[in-house]
Amino acid sequence: MASINNHASKSTKRHRDTTRTPLWLFAAFNSQYNYVLDAAATKQSALCDHFYTKQRNALKIDWSADIIPFEKTPAVWINPPYSNILPWIDKVVEQQNKGVLSTLLVPRDNRTEWWPHDRASKIIDIVGYYEEQGVYKSGPNKGEPKLKWRSGGIRFVNSRTGKEEPAELNKPMCLIEFNPHLIGQPCQFATIQKNVLMAMGHNALNEK
């Protein structure tokens, strides 16, 4: 029988709330959105020159007054504390109405109170892919491509060691966009393969 705790996170609150996004993943989305603010960061994890920390509480700041003078449609990167996502959804909706575009990298958990299917502009699922590993040398499939399935899961960066975790987060991930130009429009749904994001991210990092 299913338990109400079957889908609970297996990581500690401190751990899952302070891990950093892998640089390649941020770079991939940054190449599309050109972020000007990291709204949920620490001094060690910040991915933009302009960022808010726990001490400078993003939930109590008007982002639009802070960044709109510099960009026509400024984009904000958010990898929020996964233990309490709902206040961040409310905040990005508030800022969306003030002309700010925000994206959140969050677990794809549509069973939760915070899941914004009726508020978001777009939800992009990060999915797995088949990796080519040459061809079969013998057997009934000789000469055919050998494919291995790779998960779309994400390994986040440990806030203490600065290294990627040995295991992926135990939930699928997605990017959720709140676009001020699409207010009132139905939410769009899309997928992107993890290998495509990796290629985009590494290309962007190599261009720096």
Side-chain angles (χ1 to χ4, degrees):
M1 179 179 292
S3 163
I4 59 173
N5 292 318
N6 275 1
H7 302 290
S9 173
K10 296 177 175 59
S11 59
T12 64
K13 176 180 177 180
R14 179 183 178 188
H15 176 78
R16 67 179 179 269
D17 281 355
T18 60
T19 53
R20 194 191 73 196
T21 308
L23 288 178
W24 63 263
L25 182 55
F26 171 77
F29 286 119
N30 187 48
S31 69
Q32 305 299 304
Y33 290 99
N34 192 27
Y35 298 108
V36 299
L37 170 67
D38 184 343
T42 66
K43 290 182 179 180
Q44 294 73 30
S45 71
L47 293 167
C48 298
D49 291 337
H50 193 40
F51 60 92
Y52 299 147
T53 64
K54 185 177 181 179
Q55 289 69 37
R56 192 182 181 200
N57 191 344
L59 298 176
K60 297 181 179 180
I61 296 173
D62 182 359
W63 309 347
S64 66
D66 206 10
I67 59 180
I68 275 186
F70 306 101
E71 296 284 342
K72 291 182 179 179
T73 306
V76 178
W77 170 262
I78 308 166
N79 182 5
Y82 293 165
S83 63
N84 191 20
I85 296 176
L86 181 57
W88 292 90
I89 299 297
D90 293 336
K91 185 67 179 183
V92 296
V93 171
E94 171 200 285
Q95 293 299 304
Q96 180 186 23
N97 286 305
K98 294 185 176 185
V100 176
L101 187 155
S102 300
T103 68
L104 295 94
L105 180 69
V106 290
R108 196 196 198 289
D109 198 345
N110 59 9
R111 304 154 299 184
T112 59
E113 179 184 4
W114 62 262
W115 184 249
H117 68 281
D118 57 346
R119 305 171 79 181
S121 306
K122 191 173 187 178
I123 297 175
I124 307 171
D125 289 322
I126 301 173
V127 299
Y129 61 98
Y130 281 105
E131 180 182 75
E132 294 186 7
Q133 297 188 327
V135 299
Y136 288 99
K137 303 297 184 182
S138 60
N141 298 321
K142 183 178 180 180
E144 295 181 7
K146 183 185 292 186
L147 303 175
K148 184 177 179 61
W149 178 253
R150 296 296 188 185
S151 166
I154 304 300
R155 296 182 183 182
F156 285 85
V157 177
N158 186 288
S159 57
R160 181 177 60 84
T161 66
K163 297 180 179 180
E164 281 196 0
E165 295 290 350
E168 300 169 349
L169 193 71
N170 66 327
K171 292 181 179 179
M173 300 298 297
C174 65
L175 190 82
I176 304 182
E177 175 187 315
F178 292 79
N179 191 321
H181 302 297
L182 298 175
I183 293 174
Q185 299 298 312
C187 182
Q188 302 173 36
F189 294 88
T191 62
I192 188 166
Q193 292 177 318
K194 180 181 172 181
N195 61 326
V196 173
L197 280 174
M198 292 175 70
M200 290 169 57
H202 289 304
N203 286 339
L205 290 171
N206 289 336
E207 289 175 358
K208 286 188 175 182

PDB file of all heavy atoms in Angstrom, residues 12 17-18 24 28-29 40 64 74 77 91 93 97-98 121 133-134 142 149 162 169 176-177 185 191 195 198 201 203:
ATOM      1  N   THR A  12      18.290  16.087   3.774  1.00  0.00           N
ATOM      2  CA  THR A  12      17.983  16.959   4.886  1.00  0.00           C
ATOM      3  C   THR A  12      17.571  18.327   4.367  1.00  0.00           C
ATOM      4  O   THR A  12      17.943  18.731   3.269  1.00  0.00           O
ATOM      5  CB  THR A  12      19.202  17.127   5.806  1.00  0.00           C
ATOM      6  OG1 THR A  12      20.240  17.794   5.066  1.00  0.00           O
ATOM      7  CG2 THR A  12      19.706  15.781   6.304  1.00  0.00           C
ATOM      8  N   ASP A  17      18.284  22.719   0.649  1.00  0.00           N
ATOM      9  CA  ASP A  17      18.016  24.143   0.528  1.00  0.00           C
ATOM     10  C   ASP A  17      19.246  24.974   0.185  1.00  0.00           C
ATOM     11  O   ASP A  17      19.131  26.163  -0.085  1.00  0.00           O
ATOM     12  CB  ASP A  17      17.398  24.671   1.829  1.00  0.00           C
ATOM     13  CG  ASP A  17      15.914  24.343   1.937  1.00  0.00           C
ATOM     14  OD1 ASP A  17      15.365  23.791   0.969  1.00  0.00           O
ATOM     15  OD2 ASP A  17      15.315  24.642   2.983  1.00  0.00           O
ATOM     16  N   THR A  18      20.439  24.377   0.224  1.00  0.00           N
ATOM     17  CA  THR A  18      21.640  25.170  -0.028  1.00  0.00           C
ATOM     18  C   THR A  18      22.510  24.624  -1.156  1.00  0.00           C
ATOM     19  O   THR A  18      23.557  25.181  -1.432  1.00  0.00           O
ATOM     20  CB  THR A  18      22.505  25.265   1.247  1.00  0.00           C
ATOM     21  OG1 THR A  18      22.904  23.939   1.653  1.00  0.00           O
ATOM     22  CG2 THR A  18      21.743  25.932   2.381  1.00  0.00           C
ATOM     23  N   TRP A  24      26.881  24.019 -15.835  1.00  0.00           N
ATOM     24  CA  TRP A  24      26.456  23.744 -17.204  1.00  0.00           C
ATOM     25  C   TRP A  24      24.952  23.934 -17.370  1.00  0.00           C
ATOM     26  O   TRP A  24      24.479  24.387 -18.420  1.00  0.00           O
ATOM     27  CB  TRP A  24      26.868  22.338 -17.641  1.00  0.00           C
ATOM     28  CG  TRP A  24      26.247  21.219 -16.864  1.00  0.00           C
ATOM     29  CD1 TRP A  24      26.795  20.542 -15.809  1.00  0.00           C
ATOM     30  CD2 TRP A  24      24.942  20.640 -17.062  1.00  0.00           C
ATOM     31  NE1 TRP A  24      25.926  19.574 -15.338  1.00  0.00           N
ATOM     32  CE2 TRP A  24      24.785  19.618 -16.090  1.00  0.00           C
ATOM     33  CE3 TRP A  24      23.908  20.878 -17.962  1.00  0.00           C
ATOM     34  CZ2 TRP A  24      23.628  18.843 -15.988  1.00  0.00           C
ATOM     35  CZ3 TRP A  24      22.741  20.115 -17.867  1.00  0.00           C
ATOM     36  CH2 TRP A  24      22.622  19.104 -16.891  1.00  0.00           C
ATOM     37  N   ALA A  28      23.201  26.783 -19.722  1.00  0.00           N
ATOM     38  CA  ALA A  28      22.286  26.412 -20.808  1.00  0.00           C
ATOM     39  C   ALA A  28      21.061  27.321 -20.824  1.00  0.00           C
ATOM     40  O   ALA A  28      20.686  27.869 -21.870  1.00  0.00           O
ATOM     41  CB  ALA A  28      21.863  24.960 -20.660  1.00  0.00           C
ATOM     42  N   PHE A  29      20.438  27.500 -19.677  1.00  0.00           N
ATOM     43  CA  PHE A  29      19.253  28.351 -19.628  1.00  0.00           C
ATOM     44  C   PHE A  29      19.622  29.834 -19.730  1.00  0.00           C
ATOM     45  O   PHE A  29      18.879  30.628 -20.302  1.00  0.00           O
ATOM     46  CB  PHE A  29      18.451  28.075 -18.356  1.00  0.00           C
ATOM     47  CG  PHE A  29      17.703  26.771 -18.399  1.00  0.00           C
ATOM     48  CD1 PHE A  29      17.966  25.761 -17.474  1.00  0.00           C
ATOM     49  CD2 PHE A  29      16.740  26.535 -19.367  1.00  0.00           C
ATOM     50  CE1 PHE A  29      17.283  24.561 -17.514  1.00  0.00           C
ATOM     51  CE2 PHE A  29      16.047  25.334 -19.421  1.00  0.00           C
ATOM     52  CZ  PHE A  29      16.315  24.343 -18.489  1.00  0.00           C
ATOM     53  N   ALA A  40      17.815  33.663  -5.277  1.00  0.00           N
ATOM     54  CA  ALA A  40      17.857  32.751  -4.127  1.00  0.00           C
ATOM     55  C   ALA A  40      19.247  32.140  -4.029  1.00  0.00           C
ATOM     56  O   ALA A  40      19.464  30.995  -4.406  1.00  0.00           O
ATOM     57  CB  ALA A  40      16.794  31.669  -4.265  1.00  0.00           C
ATOM     58  N   SER A  64      11.532  44.428  -9.271  1.00  0.00           N
ATOM     59  CA  SER A  64      11.335  45.287 -10.435  1.00  0.00           C
ATOM     60  C   SER A  64      11.991  46.650 -10.241  1.00  0.00           C
ATOM     61  O   SER A  64      12.577  47.207 -11.173  1.00  0.00           O
ATOM     62  CB  SER A  64       9.840  45.453 -10.727  1.00  0.00           C
ATOM     63  OG  SER A  64       9.189  46.164  -9.679  1.00  0.00           O
ATOM     64  N   PRO A  74      13.715  42.221 -17.772  1.00  0.00           N
ATOM     65  CA  PRO A  74      14.782  41.532 -17.049  1.00  0.00           C
ATOM     66  C   PRO A  74      14.375  40.114 -16.677  1.00  0.00           C
ATOM     67  O   PRO A  74      13.211  39.845 -16.373  1.00  0.00           O
ATOM     68  CB  PRO A  74      14.979  42.399 -15.809  1.00  0.00           C
ATOM     69  CG  PRO A  74      13.651  43.054 -15.602  1.00  0.00           C
ATOM     70  CD  PRO A  74      13.109  43.298 -16.973  1.00  0.00           C
ATOM     71  N   TRP A  77      16.852  34.364 -12.327  1.00  0.00           N
ATOM     72  CA  TRP A  77      17.099  32.938 -12.094  1.00  0.00           C
ATOM     73  C   TRP A  77      16.780  32.623 -10.645  1.00  0.00           C
ATOM     74  O   TRP A  77      17.202  33.338  -9.730  1.00  0.00           O
ATOM     75  CB  TRP A  77      18.562  32.594 -12.374  1.00  0.00           C
ATOM     76  CG  TRP A  77      18.950  31.221 -11.930  1.00  0.00           C
ATOM     77  CD1 TRP A  77      19.587  30.881 -10.766  1.00  0.00           C
ATOM     78  CD2 TRP A  77      18.731  29.994 -12.634  1.00  0.00           C
ATOM     79  NE1 TRP A  77      19.776  29.525 -10.698  1.00  0.00           N
ATOM     80  CE2 TRP A  77      19.256  28.964 -11.836  1.00  0.00           C
ATOM     81  CE3 TRP A  77      18.144  29.679 -13.860  1.00  0.00           C
ATOM     82  CZ2 TRP A  77      19.217  27.628 -12.226  1.00  0.00           C
ATOM     83  CZ3 TRP A  77      18.086  28.351 -14.240  1.00  0.00           C
ATOM     84  CH2 TRP A  77      18.630  27.348 -13.437  1.00  0.00           C
ATOM     85  N   LYS A  91       5.685  35.123  -5.116  1.00  0.00           N
ATOM     86  CA  LYS A  91       6.555  36.271  -5.378  1.00  0.00           C
ATOM     87  C   LYS A  91       6.787  36.474  -6.872  1.00  0.00           C
ATOM     88  O   LYS A  91       6.744  37.617  -7.361  1.00  0.00           O
ATOM     89  CB  LYS A  91       7.899  36.083  -4.673  1.00  0.00           C
ATOM     90  CG  LYS A  91       8.830  37.289  -4.778  1.00  0.00           C
ATOM     91  CD  LYS A  91       8.276  38.485  -4.025  1.00  0.00           C
ATOM     92  CE  LYS A  91       9.217  39.675  -4.107  1.00  0.00           C
ATOM     93  NZ  LYS A  91       8.717  40.831  -3.327  1.00  0.00           N
ATOM     94  N   VAL A  93       4.865  35.632  -9.300  1.00  0.00           N
ATOM     95  CA  VAL A  93       3.625  36.128  -9.900  1.00  0.00           C
ATOM     96  C   VAL A  93       3.491  37.625  -9.640  1.00  0.00           C
ATOM     97  O   VAL A  93       3.114  38.402 -10.535  1.00  0.00           O
ATOM     98  CB  VAL A  93       2.408  35.359  -9.356  1.00  0.00           C
ATOM     99  CG1 VAL A  93       1.103  36.027  -9.800  1.00  0.00           C
ATOM    100  CG2 VAL A  93       2.435  33.908  -9.825  1.00  0.00           C
ATOM    101  N   ASN A  97       3.702  40.602 -12.718  1.00  0.00           N
ATOM    102  CA  ASN A  97       2.759  41.701 -12.935  1.00  0.00           C
ATOM    103  C   ASN A  97       3.439  43.063 -12.944  1.00  0.00           C
ATOM    104  O   ASN A  97       2.813  44.069 -13.301  1.00  0.00           O
ATOM    105  CB  ASN A  97       1.662  41.667 -11.870  1.00  0.00           C
ATOM    106  CG  ASN A  97       0.661  40.547 -12.110  1.00  0.00           C
ATOM    107  OD1 ASN A  97       0.070  40.454 -13.174  1.00  0.00           O
ATOM    108  ND2 ASN A  97       0.475  39.682 -11.123  1.00  0.00           N
ATOM    109  N   LYS A  98       4.712  43.098 -12.559  1.00  0.00           N
ATOM    110  CA  LYS A  98       5.488  44.342 -12.586  1.00  0.00           C
ATOM    111  C   LYS A  98       6.499  44.351 -13.728  1.00  0.00           C
ATOM    112  O   LYS A  98       7.381  45.204 -13.781  1.00  0.00           O
ATOM    113  CB  LYS A  98       6.200  44.542 -11.249  1.00  0.00           C
ATOM    114  CG  LYS A  98       5.247  44.778 -10.081  1.00  0.00           C
ATOM    115  CD  LYS A  98       6.004  45.082  -8.796  1.00  0.00           C
ATOM    116  CE  LYS A  98       5.041  45.406  -7.660  1.00  0.00           C
ATOM    117  NZ  LYS A  98       5.766  45.825  -6.424  1.00  0.00           N
ATOM    118  N   SER A 121       3.623  30.513 -17.125  1.00  0.00           N
ATOM    119  CA  SER A 121       3.551  30.705 -18.570  1.00  0.00           C
ATOM    120  C   SER A 121       3.997  29.453 -19.314  1.00  0.00           C
ATOM    121  O   SER A 121       3.449  29.111 -20.357  1.00  0.00           O
ATOM    122  CB  SER A 121       4.445  31.881 -18.997  1.00  0.00           C
ATOM    123  OG  SER A 121       4.133  33.046 -18.290  1.00  0.00           O
ATOM    124  N   GLN A 133      26.515   4.176 -27.929  1.00  0.00           N
ATOM    125  CA  GLN A 133      27.741   3.529 -27.449  1.00  0.00           C
ATOM    126  C   GLN A 133      28.289   2.566 -28.503  1.00  0.00           C
ATOM    127  O   GLN A 133      28.564   1.402 -28.232  1.00  0.00           O
ATOM    128  CB  GLN A 133      27.477   2.806 -26.132  1.00  0.00           C
ATOM    129  CG  GLN A 133      27.056   3.751 -25.011  1.00  0.00           C
ATOM    130  CD  GLN A 133      26.990   3.073 -23.657  1.00  0.00           C
ATOM    131  OE1 GLN A 133      26.652   1.892 -23.563  1.00  0.00           O
ATOM    132  NE2 GLN A 133      27.324   3.808 -22.627  1.00  0.00           N
ATOM    133  N   GLY A 134      28.425   3.089 -29.704  1.00  0.00           N
ATOM    134  CA  GLY A 134      28.954   2.271 -30.794  1.00  0.00           C
ATOM    135  C   GLY A 134      27.904   1.350 -31.370  1.00  0.00           C
ATOM    136  O   GLY A 134      26.704   1.648 -31.352  1.00  0.00           O
ATOM    137  N   LYS A 142      23.908  -7.545 -34.324  1.00  0.00           N
ATOM    138  CA  LYS A 142      25.206  -7.168 -34.875  1.00  0.00           C
ATOM    139  C   LYS A 142      25.067  -6.063 -35.935  1.00  0.00           C
ATOM    140  O   LYS A 142      24.251  -6.153 -36.842  1.00  0.00           O
ATOM    141  CB  LYS A 142      25.886  -8.379 -35.491  1.00  0.00           C
ATOM    142  CG  LYS A 142      27.284  -8.086 -36.028  1.00  0.00           C
ATOM    143  CD  LYS A 142      27.939  -9.336 -36.580  1.00  0.00           C
ATOM    144  CE  LYS A 142      29.334  -9.030 -37.122  1.00  0.00           C
ATOM    145  NZ  LYS A 142      29.990 -10.256 -37.665  1.00  0.00           N
ATOM    146  N   TRP A 149      20.194   3.975 -22.031  1.00  0.00           N
ATOM    147  CA  TRP A 149      19.321   5.025 -21.513  1.00  0.00           C
ATOM    148  C   TRP A 149      20.009   5.788 -20.393  1.00  0.00           C
ATOM    149  O   TRP A 149      20.584   5.199 -19.483  1.00  0.00           O
ATOM    150  CB  TRP A 149      18.011   4.440 -20.992  1.00  0.00           C
ATOM    151  CG  TRP A 149      17.104   5.476 -20.400  1.00  0.00           C
ATOM    152  CD1 TRP A 149      16.819   5.690 -19.089  1.00  0.00           C
ATOM    153  CD2 TRP A 149      16.359   6.466 -21.134  1.00  0.00           C
ATOM    154  NE1 TRP A 149      15.955   6.735 -18.943  1.00  0.00           N
ATOM    155  CE2 TRP A 149      15.659   7.240 -20.178  1.00  0.00           C
ATOM    156  CE3 TRP A 149      16.231   6.766 -22.487  1.00  0.00           C
ATOM    157  CZ2 TRP A 149      14.829   8.295 -20.545  1.00  0.00           C
ATOM    158  CZ3 TRP A 149      15.412   7.824 -22.858  1.00  0.00           C
ATOM    159  CH2 TRP A 149      14.719   8.570 -21.890  1.00  0.00           C
ATOM    160  N   GLY A 162      31.673  21.769  -2.661  1.00  0.00           N
ATOM    161  CA  GLY A 162      31.791  22.382  -3.968  1.00  0.00           C
ATOM    162  C   GLY A 162      31.819  21.374  -5.106  1.00  0.00           C
ATOM    163  O   GLY A 162      32.080  21.728  -6.260  1.00  0.00           O
ATOM    164  N   LEU A 169      19.148  14.119  -7.681  1.00  0.00           N
ATOM    165  CA  LEU A 169      17.988  14.389  -6.843  1.00  0.00           C
ATOM    166  C   LEU A 169      16.926  13.339  -7.147  1.00  0.00           C
ATOM    167  O   LEU A 169      16.762  12.941  -8.298  1.00  0.00           O
ATOM    168  CB  LEU A 169      17.438  15.788  -7.131  1.00  0.00           C
ATOM    169  CG  LEU A 169      16.417  16.331  -6.118  1.00  0.00           C
ATOM    170  CD1 LEU A 169      17.111  16.671  -4.817  1.00  0.00           C
ATOM    171  CD2 LEU A 169      15.732  17.573  -6.677  1.00  0.00           C
ATOM    172  N   ILE A 176      10.329  26.345 -14.725  1.00  0.00           N
ATOM    173  CA  ILE A 176       9.012  26.968 -14.838  1.00  0.00           C
ATOM    174  C   ILE A 176       9.193  28.464 -15.092  1.00  0.00           C
ATOM    175  O   ILE A 176       9.877  29.153 -14.353  1.00  0.00           O
ATOM    176  CB  ILE A 176       8.171  26.737 -13.566  1.00  0.00           C
ATOM    177  CG1 ILE A 176       8.062  25.235 -13.273  1.00  0.00           C
ATOM    178  CG2 ILE A 176       6.786  27.355 -13.736  1.00  0.00           C
ATOM    179  CD1 ILE A 176       7.217  24.896 -12.071  1.00  0.00           C
ATOM    180  N   GLU A 177       8.584  28.926 -16.171  1.00  0.00           N
ATOM    181  CA  GLU A 177       8.731  30.324 -16.596  1.00  0.00           C
ATOM    182  C   GLU A 177       7.471  31.128 -16.276  1.00  0.00           C
ATOM    183  O   GLU A 177       6.348  30.659 -16.485  1.00  0.00           O
ATOM    184  CB  GLU A 177       8.997  30.363 -18.104  1.00  0.00           C
ATOM    185  CG  GLU A 177       9.053  31.766 -18.704  1.00  0.00           C
ATOM    186  CD  GLU A 177       9.158  31.732 -20.216  1.00  0.00           C
ATOM    187  OE1 GLU A 177       9.966  30.935 -20.744  1.00  0.00           O
ATOM    188  OE2 GLU A 177       8.432  32.507 -20.876  1.00  0.00           O
ATOM    189  N   GLN A 185      -2.475  33.960 -20.475  1.00  0.00           N
ATOM    190  CA  GLN A 185      -2.439  32.934 -21.511  1.00  0.00           C
ATOM    191  C   GLN A 185      -2.343  31.545 -20.868  1.00  0.00           C
ATOM    192  O   GLN A 185      -1.799  31.394 -19.767  1.00  0.00           O
ATOM    193  CB  GLN A 185      -1.240  33.159 -22.430  1.00  0.00           C
ATOM    194  CG  GLN A 185      -1.258  34.479 -23.163  1.00  0.00           C
ATOM    195  CD  GLN A 185      -2.449  34.607 -24.093  1.00  0.00           C
ATOM    196  OE1 GLN A 185      -2.738  33.704 -24.873  1.00  0.00           O
ATOM    197  NE2 GLN A 185      -3.169  35.721 -23.993  1.00  0.00           N
ATOM    198  N   THR A 191       9.308  19.762 -23.342  1.00  0.00           N
ATOM    199  CA  THR A 191      10.373  18.932 -22.784  1.00  0.00           C
ATOM    200  C   THR A 191      11.692  19.292 -23.446  1.00  0.00           C
ATOM    201  O   THR A 191      11.720  19.795 -24.572  1.00  0.00           O
ATOM    202  CB  THR A 191      10.109  17.429 -23.010  1.00  0.00           C
ATOM    203  OG1 THR A 191      10.065  17.173 -24.431  1.00  0.00           O
ATOM    204  CG2 THR A 191       8.806  16.982 -22.368  1.00  0.00           C
ATOM    205  N   ASN A 195      20.811  15.788 -22.375  1.00  0.00           N
ATOM    206  CA  ASN A 195      22.030  15.893 -23.197  1.00  0.00           C
ATOM    207  C   ASN A 195      22.035  17.156 -24.054  1.00  0.00           C
ATOM    208  O   ASN A 195      23.091  17.734 -24.333  1.00  0.00           O
ATOM    209  CB  ASN A 195      22.223  14.646 -24.055  1.00  0.00           C
ATOM    210  CG  ASN A 195      21.093  14.398 -25.024  1.00  0.00           C
ATOM    211  OD1 ASN A 195      19.928  14.696 -24.730  1.00  0.00           O
ATOM    212  ND2 ASN A 195      21.401  13.840 -26.177  1.00  0.00           N
ATOM    213  N   MET A 198      23.051  19.853 -21.700  1.00  0.00           N
ATOM    214  CA  MET A 198      24.480  19.745 -21.411  1.00  0.00           C
ATOM    215  C   MET A 198      25.303  20.339 -22.546  1.00  0.00           C
ATOM    216  O   MET A 198      26.274  21.079 -22.315  1.00  0.00           O
ATOM    217  CB  MET A 198      24.860  18.285 -21.160  1.00  0.00           C
ATOM    218  CG  MET A 198      24.278  17.710 -19.877  1.00  0.00           C
ATOM    219  SD  MET A 198      24.609  15.940 -19.665  1.00  0.00           S
ATOM    220  CE  MET A 198      26.371  15.958 -19.366  1.00  0.00           C
ATOM    221  N   GLY A 201      24.934  24.102 -22.463  1.00  0.00           N
ATOM    222  CA  GLY A 201      25.650  24.674 -21.331  1.00  0.00           C
ATOM    223  C   GLY A 201      27.147  24.688 -21.534  1.00  0.00           C
ATOM    224  O   GLY A 201      27.813  25.701 -21.284  1.00  0.00           O
ATOM    225  N   ASN A 203      28.790  24.544 -24.352  1.00  0.00           N
ATOM    226  CA  ASN A 203      29.115  25.471 -25.435  1.00  0.00           C
ATOM    227  C   ASN A 203      29.146  26.911 -24.913  1.00  0.00           C
ATOM    228  O   ASN A 203      30.044  27.682 -25.266  1.00  0.00           O
ATOM    229  CB  ASN A 203      28.105  25.363 -26.576  1.00  0.00           C
ATOM    230  CG  ASN A 203      28.284  24.106 -27.397  1.00  0.00           C
ATOM    231  OD1 ASN A 203      29.354  23.498 -27.392  1.00  0.00           O
ATOM    232  ND2 ASN A 203      27.245  23.694 -28.108  1.00  0.00           N
TER     233      ASN A 203
END
